[in-house]
Amino acid sequence: MYDQTDHNIPCLTEHLPGTGGKIKVSWDDFFVEEIPLYEPCGRGDHLFVQIEKEGRATLDAIAQIARALHVSPQQVGYAGLKDSWAVTRQWLSLEHIDAEQVENLDMPRIKILQTLRHTNKLRIGHLAGNRFAIRVREPAVPLDQAVSRAENIVSQLAISGVGNLFGPQRFGKRKDTHRLGEAIVRDDPQGFMDIFLGRGQQEDKTEIYEARSCYDQGKYERAYELLPFHFHDHRRALRLLIRGKTKQQAFSAVGKHYRRLYISAFQSDLFNRVLTARMPEIDKLLPGDMAYKHDNGACFRVEDAQLEQPRCTNFEISPTGPLFGYAMAEAEGEAGEIEKTVLAGADLELTDFRLKNSNKVKGGRRPLRFQPRNMDIGSGTDENGDYLELRFELDSGCYATAVLREITKHDEI
């Protein structure tokens, strides 16, 4: 595997002092609400359900709702994953389920807000964006000064945009989902299993650390006994190993959905590396760039960077970075050389993403920057003390942590 030592992406506003501070001191310090791509029409076989969850991951909430309704979690549609340490509102969909069944559910830290009928299942990407309200606690300077600093930074970001990096949540609590994706791309089931089931970290809960250590020692039965029941795929893989199956065969226990997530995390890590190489001039077009049109999401090749730059300055278009895949539109010229250097540094070629079975990765393009909407900065005091409050909206796929790191100047937030 290529050297994946952590790399810090510089801020666009390095020259402006940040506020410092902490986020997510409590769940309600971080609020996010989905902005739907479309409204349910009020009829159809699919029941759209808006939930509010506190301190729970999306897939965990889906699993509990599915169990309560006696359906498979795969039957539950959703538009995107939401933070676990937060209060979040999002939509799910269920087919051939009565609204009353859902409305009568009583689950810890999950509320059913409303139910509406629609004609199709909710799928990943059926999302216009997200609305955030985030409180920053214990700023490094007095509150009025923190507000002033935040306003100065936001004024700059309104012109240049925010680096469209993939935030730390993309890489999981263990910060290794991209490594799992890399092992899949390299067709390395042993390497995948060793990360998936082993390599305990100090941050792991005691029983999970012990289970991973047992796997590393070849004690598969003990590892299986120690892992909690909700580690479904891990336990299925261990059962196969206990029965004498190979790690290649054990890899089949990992669901396709999670495989796609891991591969996507690897693509995200490579994208972040290209973004790092383009910083801080992500508001400047290079010859050969693939440019993104913000009004409709289409991409086109930049033949004359100087001619197109005024549109970029006006935030009509932006340069893009690669989500590497075998069918991806490649940048050319100077922009293309940057991307080729990152891919070569990983000792990969685009054809390596033409994977076996159903894991083929076509790839795509992602804008190098985004522009927050309806940004509002305020302050207040509650039972937990003073706070700086940030309210804004982002397009789907953009991370609030990218905005927060510019304002606080903290990478780990």
Side-chain angles (χ1 to χ4, degrees):
M1 294 189 178
Y2 83 108
D3 181 11
Q4 296 190 41
T5 52
D6 291 338
H7 55 288
N8 293 324
I9 301 176
C11 288
L12 284 165
T13 57
E14 292 282 358
H15 59 291
L16 296 175
T19 65
K22 300 177 181 178
I23 67 166
K24 298 185 178 181
V25 173
S26 62
W27 291 332
D28 56 2
D29 279 350
F30 197 102
F31 175 81
V32 55
E33 180 179 16
E34 286 185 344
I35 304 172
L37 186 62
Y38 50 81
E39 296 293 334
C41 65
R43 64 184 187 281
D45 294 332
H46 297 268
L47 184 70
F48 275 37
V49 181
Q50 189 186 37
I51 66 169
E52 180 177 286
K53 59 183 183 64
E54 297 181 348
R56 303 196 64 169
T58 297
L59 296 179
D60 175 47
I62 286 173
Q64 179 160 359
I65 291 170
R67 281 196 301 271
L69 295 173
H70 306 291
V71 300
S72 167
Q74 282 69 41
Q75 292 178 248
V76 183
Y78 61 97
L81 300 176
K82 294 291 174 288
D83 295 80
S84 56
W85 193 265
V87 175
T88 68
R89 291 180 181 175
Q90 68 182 113
W91 288 89
L92 309 176
S93 73
L94 294 148
E95 190 173 12
H96 303 307
I97 294 290
D98 292 333
E100 188 175 350
Q101 288 179 264
V102 178
E103 291 164 356
N104 289 335
L105 293 177
D106 184 13
M107 296 165 292
R109 304 201 310 275
I110 301 176
K111 296 177 184 177
I112 307 299
L113 300 183
Q114 59 177 318
T115 59
L116 295 166
R117 289 278 169 194
H118 197 57
T119 53
N120 61 262
K121 182 178 181 177
L122 191 61
R123 298 188 183 278
I124 293 288
H126 289 192
L127 185 63
N130 294 288
R131 185 176 295 113
F132 296 88
I134 301 171
R135 292 173 179 173
V136 180
R137 305 276 181 181
E138 302 177 29
V141 293
L143 197 55
D144 59 345
Q145 191 175 346
V147 170
S148 177
R149 287 188 177 189
E151 289 174 342
N152 289 338
I153 291 168
V154 167
S155 295
Q156 176 62 45
L157 296 177
I159 299 170
S160 63
V162 180
N164 199 11
L165 59 88
F166 286 96
Q169 59 267 53
R170 185 71 162 190
F171 308 106
K173 291 181 180 179
R174 291 170 51 84
K175 300 181 181 179
D176 62 1
T177 55
H178 56 302
R179 296 176 184 268
L180 292 166
E182 182 192 2
I184 296 173
V185 171
R186 295 189 187 282
D187 192 22
D188 179 12
Q190 177 167 334
F192 179 92
M193 281 296 148
D194 289 349
I195 301 170
F196 189 63
L197 296 175
R199 301 186 186 179
Q201 299 178 359
Q202 290 183 345
E203 295 80 9
D204 290 332
K205 293 181 179 178
T206 301
E207 69 274 16
I208 295 173
Y209 180 86
E210 291 179 0
R212 290 183 176 277
S213 296
C214 286
Y215 167 85
D216 291 335
Q217 299 167 42
K219 300 176 182 178
Y220 301 147
E221 292 187 14
R222 182 57 179 156
Y224 178 82
E225 293 169 359
L226 287 167
L227 273 182
F229 287 111
H230 64 272
F231 280 67
H232 303 296
D233 288 4
H234 299 72
R235 289 167 60 84
R236 279 197 294 267
L238 282 168
R239 278 201 300 268
L240 290 171
L241 293 174
I242 291 168
R243 288 163 48 193
K245 301 296 183 182
T246 66
K247 291 183 180 180
Q248 172 75 61
Q249 291 168 317
F251 176 72
S252 66
V254 182
K256 292 180 181 178
H257 170 73
Y258 285 103
R259 295 185 204 180
R260 287 194 293 269
L261 284 178
Y262 299 145
I263 294 169
S264 179
F266 183 46
Q267 291 175 292
S268 301
D269 180 67
L270 295 172
F271 174 90
N272 278 358
R273 292 172 184 272
V274 172
L275 177 61
T276 300
R278 295 286 299 260
M279 292 285 274
E281 296 187 333
I282 57 172
D283 57 347
K284 301 292 190 298
L285 292 172
L286 296 177
D289 253 323
M290 293 296 298
Y292 177 88
K293 298 176 68 175
H294 287 279
D295 62 348
N296 61 12
C299 287
F300 68 95
R301 190 176 308 283
V302 175
E303 303 294 345
D304 188 332
Q306 186 174 359
L307 179 65
E308 299 288 358
Q309 184 57 46
R311 296 174 66 195
C312 189
T313 301
N314 292 333
F315 232 108
E316 297 173 31
I317 62 176
S318 291
T320 65
L323 298 173
F324 286 113
Y326 71 89
M328 180 195 76
E330 297 181 65
E332 297 177 350
E334 186 179 350
E337 288 304 314
I338 292 172
E339 296 176 13
K340 288 176 182 176
T341 299
V342 168
L343 195 60
D347 194 24
L348 289 171
E349 298 178 358
L350 291 182
T351 53
D352 292 322
F353 289 86
R354 193 183 293 274
L355 309 179
K356 298 177 182 177
N357 304 320
S358 60
N359 292 320
K360 294 180 180 178
V361 184
K362 291 185 177 180
R365 308 294 306 185
R366 175 181 172 89
L368 292 178
R369 62 178 185 159
F370 64 84
Q371 193 172 40
R373 297 188 303 275
N374 300 322
M375 191 82 186
D376 183 60
I377 299 169
S379 61
T381 303
D382 61 13
E383 64 275 10
N384 293 320
D386 294 342
Y387 59 81
L388 173 71
E389 185 167 76
L390 311 170
R391 292 178 176 269
F392 52 90
E393 296 176 3
L394 300 181
D395 290 336
S396 176
C398 301
Y399 284 78
T401 48
V403 179
L404 291 171
R405 68 192 291 273
E406 291 282 351
I407 292 173
T408 65
K409 296 299 187 290
H410 289 335
D411 268 322
E412 295 296 328
I413 51 179

